[in-house]
């Protein structure tokens, strides 16, 4: 039906659009109304960007603060503990293998259970799943801080990882449901900046707590912080309705995905111990491939699949997950090995090592919100590509690493890499989740977290293999020298190549939604909102002649008008 024929020519554009929207229905009315707000610059408190079910401006700020703090706790517990491994091992009697499991089991459990956490958030609501995960994470942190021996600590780290697996995807789903449009990109930038600060600032915080209060406070500090976040979250978090999923829980999918992720990450974490030519390592990798093949077969036939595989056919989702894996691999391998280098090769104290990495943390944390603000203006593809190229350039500056390098010699490369990673992280998240329906944000966020955890383990494994090929000594007993620094430098070359490959992938595969330029009056139709997920709006009206705007809007339709309407 040609709706424009039902209305006389003297009605204004706004009046005719509103009248036409009444004919079209609620979804297209929302699309028509969104045309005006789509051009408004992103603000965290912009009500124009909020959907009908979004919380108010004040509450959205609380949502951002809560989920960012929760994400900070989840990530800081992975990086801060690295700096405390030497005193922790001495007190609890853990060897090098035990210390590796203190770090790796948290990451492994987080990665293995994150898909389950995303499924639960979509099925039962992100708010209750987030709160349950926060309680579990806080409780296991308390127990880890009081652990009587090494075996107990390793087991409790698995409990912390399970709580983090519930919190992570639920927190991101809460943020996505609270913010829409350009405000969402800015909020994701803030969230990404907090994550970057946690990853890079973790060693410094861990050093301060270890030197000032003892390594146990790396875990105990989560208790008061977690309690405060829980109280505030209970009072302020909105309750988005859970998706009306029907059908049984996909237990088979959960088990096969857990088996595949466990085998894959276990293989990466033990690759340097077993050797890359070991039959044992390749047997574990083959088991991971078999489990993932079974997972795909099950998901294609499940009535309510754990991970809807059709998500990977949506724009940017597959490419964005791969980019998340690449960026995390590069970022974490740099942090991990520079922390070891500063303490073991140059003799820096834990606090000195943390301070040396602090500028990278601060620049990355500042660049991420700016990148979120720039996403609607420059496009995610441009920012990701630029950020990963800068990251590669920073890594190249670090390839000449030598034992006589102090913290000052590291700063040019660290600052450039930090700027690049900060520019890339938020746009990767925005692009990956920008086309996901609201009732799938939990599992989509969980998939992105899983890819990032795989990237973390893979990056450290590959970097460790390259370093060990040059210096196969025991870090627990021998102070490394030039060969160790040379191995790290060669690893940075490989990471630079990986970052450039990620930039090429972003340029080739990331699709930036086209936002048509608004037409001037009397020149053509108004631009429709092209925000991902917004229903199409066909209410394109030509602006009336200026002299017609002065006529009253309440003039009744004449017989001639009614006849033309028919």
């Amino acid at each position: 039906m040609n709706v424009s024929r039902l209305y006389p020519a003297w009605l204004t554009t706004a009046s005719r659009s509103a009248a036409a929207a009444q004919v079209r229905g609620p979804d297209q009315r929302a699309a028509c109304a969104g045309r005006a707000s789509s051009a408004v610059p992103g603000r965290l408190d912009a009500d124009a960007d909020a959907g009908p079910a979004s919380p108010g401006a004040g509450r959205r700020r609380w949502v951002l603060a809560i989920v960012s703090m929760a994400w900070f706790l989840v990530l800081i517990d992975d990086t801060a503990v690295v700096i405390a491994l030497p005193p922790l091992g001495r007190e609890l009697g853990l060897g090098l293998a035990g210390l590796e499991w203190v770090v790796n089991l948290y990451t492994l459990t987080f990665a293995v259970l994150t898909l389950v956490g995303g499924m639960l958030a979509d099925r039962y609501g992100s708010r209750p799943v987030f709160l349950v995960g926060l309680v579990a994470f806080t409780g296991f942190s308390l127990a880890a801080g009081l652990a009587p021996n090494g075996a107990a600590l390793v087991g409790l780290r698995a409990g912390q990882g399970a709580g983090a697996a519930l919190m992570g995807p639920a927190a991101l789903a809460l943020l996505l449901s609270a913010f829409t449009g350009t405000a969402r990109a800015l909020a994701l930038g803030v969230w990404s900046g907090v994550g970057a600060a946690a990853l890079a600032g973790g060693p410094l915080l861990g050093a301060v707590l270890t030197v000032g209060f003892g390594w146990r406070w790396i875990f105990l500090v989560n208790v008061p912080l977690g309690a405060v976040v829980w109280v505030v979250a209970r009072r302020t978090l909105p309750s988005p309705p859970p998706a009306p999923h029907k059908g049984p829980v996909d237990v088979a999918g959960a088990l096969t995905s857990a088996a595949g992720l466990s085998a894959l990450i276990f293989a990466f974490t033990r690759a340097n111990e077993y050797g890359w030519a070991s039959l044992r390592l390749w047997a574990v990798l083959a088991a991971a491939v078999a489990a993932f093949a079974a997972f795909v077969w099950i998901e294609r036939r499940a009535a309510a699949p754990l991970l809807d595989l059709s998500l990977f056919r949506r724009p940017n989702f597959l490419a964005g997950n791969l980019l998340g894996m690449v960026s995390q691999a590069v970022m974490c391998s740099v942090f991990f090995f520079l922390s070891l280098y500063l303490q073991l090769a140059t003799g820096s104290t834990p606090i000195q090592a943390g301070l040396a990495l602090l500028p990278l943390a601060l620049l990355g944390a500042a660049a991420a919100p700016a990148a979120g603000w720039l996403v609607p203006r420059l496009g995610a593809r441009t920012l990701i590509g630029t950020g990963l190229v800068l990251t590669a350039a920073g890594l190249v500056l670090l390839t000449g690493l030598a034992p006589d390098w102090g913290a000052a010699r590291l700063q040019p490369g660290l600052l450039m890499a930090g700027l690049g990673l900060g520019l890339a992280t938020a746009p990767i998240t925005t692009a990956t989740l920008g086309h996901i329906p609201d009732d799938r944000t939990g599992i989509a966020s969980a998939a992105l977290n899983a890819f990032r955890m795989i990237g973390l383990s893979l990056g450290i494994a590959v970097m460790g293999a390259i370093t060990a090929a040059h210096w196969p000594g025991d870090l627990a007993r021998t102070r490394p020298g030039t060969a160790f620094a040379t191995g790290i430098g060669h690893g940075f070359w490989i990471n630079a190549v990986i970052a450039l490959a990620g930039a090429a992938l972003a340029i080739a595969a990331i699709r930036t939604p086209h936002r048509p330029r608004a037409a001037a009056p009397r020149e053509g139709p108004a631009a429709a909102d092209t925000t991902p997920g917004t229903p199409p709006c066909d209410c394109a009206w030509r602006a009336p002649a200026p002299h017609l705007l002065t006529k009253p809007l309440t003039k009744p339709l004449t017989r001639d008008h009614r006849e033309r309407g028919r």
Side-chain angles (χ1 to χ4, degrees):
M1 178 175 62
N2 189 351
V3 182
S4 63
R5 296 186 59 193
L6 296 178
Y7 306 102
W10 44 262
L11 286 176
T12 64
T13 301
S15 301
R16 295 167 69 179
S17 298
Q22 294 299 323
V23 176
R24 289 181 175 84
D27 289 340
Q28 290 174 311
R29 285 201 298 271
C32 297
R35 292 187 306 165
S37 64
S38 65
V40 178
R43 302 192 314 274
L44 291 178
D45 59 348
D47 287 326
D49 283 331
S54 297
R59 224 167 236 214
R60 286 201 298 275
R61 295 191 197 99
W62 280 113
V63 171
L64 179 59
I66 290 166
V67 301
S68 297
M69 186 62 190
W71 191 233
F72 181 85
L73 292 176
V74 165
L75 294 182
I76 204 75
D77 237 57
D78 195 24
T79 56
V81 72
V82 172
I83 211 81
L85 291 179
L88 185 155
R90 286 192 296 268
E91 182 173 335
L92 298 183
L94 287 174
L96 183 58
L99 293 177
E100 288 178 351
W101 278 114
V102 170
V103 177
N104 291 337
L105 197 56
Y106 176 82
T107 303
L108 178 64
T109 312
F110 186 6
V112 166
L113 296 180
T114 191
L115 288 179
V116 176
M119 178 271 293
L120 293 174
D122 285 340
R123 182 177 285 263
Y124 301 110
S126 49
R127 183 179 186 271
V129 172
F130 174 81
L131 292 174
V132 170
L134 180 59
V135 169
F137 180 83
T138 305
F140 280 112
S141 295
L142 175 61
L146 303 175
N149 53 58
L153 178 61
V154 170
L156 292 167
R157 287 285 284 167
Q160 278 188 300
L166 295 177
M167 287 170 58
L172 190 49
L174 283 167
L175 188 147
L176 293 174
S177 66
F179 294 91
T180 58
T182 53
R184 175 184 287 181
L186 181 56
L188 284 172
V190 174
W191 180 82
S192 300
V194 170
L199 286 171
L204 177 59
L205 179 60
V208 170
L209 291 173
T210 301
V211 172
F213 305 97
W215 64 265
R216 293 181 182 273
W217 276 94
I218 292 177
F219 307 113
L220 294 177
V221 74
N222 294 333
V223 178
L225 293 176
V228 170
V229 172
W230 188 85
V231 171
V232 177
R234 284 274 298 175
R235 294 177 60 88
T236 59
L237 281 184
S239 299
H245 291 309
K246 296 181 180 179
V249 174
D250 184 13
V251 177
L255 292 176
T256 51
S257 69
L261 287 169
S262 297
L264 184 64
I265 294 177
F266 178 82
F268 289 153
T269 56
R270 311 310 293 172
N272 294 321
E273 178 184 339
Y274 294 160
W276 286 92
S278 166
L279 290 177
R280 190 193 219 172
L281 173 66
W282 287 101
V284 177
L285 288 173
V289 172
F292 283 131
F295 173 71
V296 171
W297 186 85
I298 290 168
E299 297 307 280
R300 285 180 172 175
R301 290 158 178 79
L306 174 70
L307 176 59
D308 186 354
L309 298 180
S310 67
L311 292 176
F312 289 95
R313 294 195 295 270
R314 288 184 170 268
N316 300 339
F317 189 70
L318 177 58
N321 277 286
L322 293 175
L323 288 167
M325 182 175 69
V326 166
S327 65
Q328 195 80 355
V330 172
M331 183 187 304
C332 292
S333 60
V334 170
F335 293 155
F336 184 83
F337 281 91
L338 279 183
S339 176
L340 289 177
Y341 161 79
L342 287 167
Q343 292 184 76
L344 300 178
T346 69
S348 299
T349 66
I351 291 181
Q352 288 172 333
L355 287 172
L357 296 174
L358 184 60
L360 183 151
L362 295 177
L363 187 57
W373 183 81
L374 288 171
V375 165
R377 293 154 178 82
L378 300 180
R381 175 172 55 191
T382 301
L383 290 167
I384 297 169
T386 303
L388 291 178
V389 169
L390 286 174
T391 301
L395 292 171
V396 170
L397 293 177
L398 294 170
T399 55
L401 193 69
D404 60 343
W405 277 31
R409 290 283 299 273
L410 296 173
Q411 294 313 309
L414 286 178
L415 290 174
M416 187 170 291
L419 176 61
L421 290 169
L423 286 177
T425 303
I428 288 174
T429 306
T430 303
T432 306
L433 303 178
H435 297 266
I436 302 301
D438 289 343
D439 62 344
R440 291 290 187 271
T441 53
I443 193 64
S445 302
L448 181 58
N449 284 341
F451 272 86
R452 282 173 167 163
M453 291 300 103
I454 293 171
L456 185 154
S457 301
L458 179 61
I460 292 177
V462 171
M463 186 81 170
I466 297 168
T467 303
H470 291 80
W471 191 82
D474 187 348
L475 294 177
R477 298 182 176 88
T478 309
R479 180 169 177 172
T482 303
F484 180 64
T486 301
I488 294 177
H490 287 180
F492 286 158
W493 274 114
I494 300 299
N495 275 295
V497 172
I498 293 172
L500 289 176
L505 174 62
I507 294 170
I510 294 297
R511 292 168 50 188
T512 300
H514 174 63
R515 187 180 297 277
R517 185 174 57 187
R522 303 174 62 87
E523 290 182 0
D529 182 21
T530 56
T531 302
T534 304
C537 175
D538 62 350
C539 47
W541 302 102
R542 292 186 179 273
H547 70 279
L548 296 177
L549 296 176
T550 60
K551 295 195 175 186
L553 298 181
T554 57
K555 180 178 178 180
L557 296 177
T558 66
R559 174 186 293 272
D560 183 55
H561 293 144
R562 289 195 294 268
E563 290 296 330
R564 285 204 302 269
R566 295 194 188 98

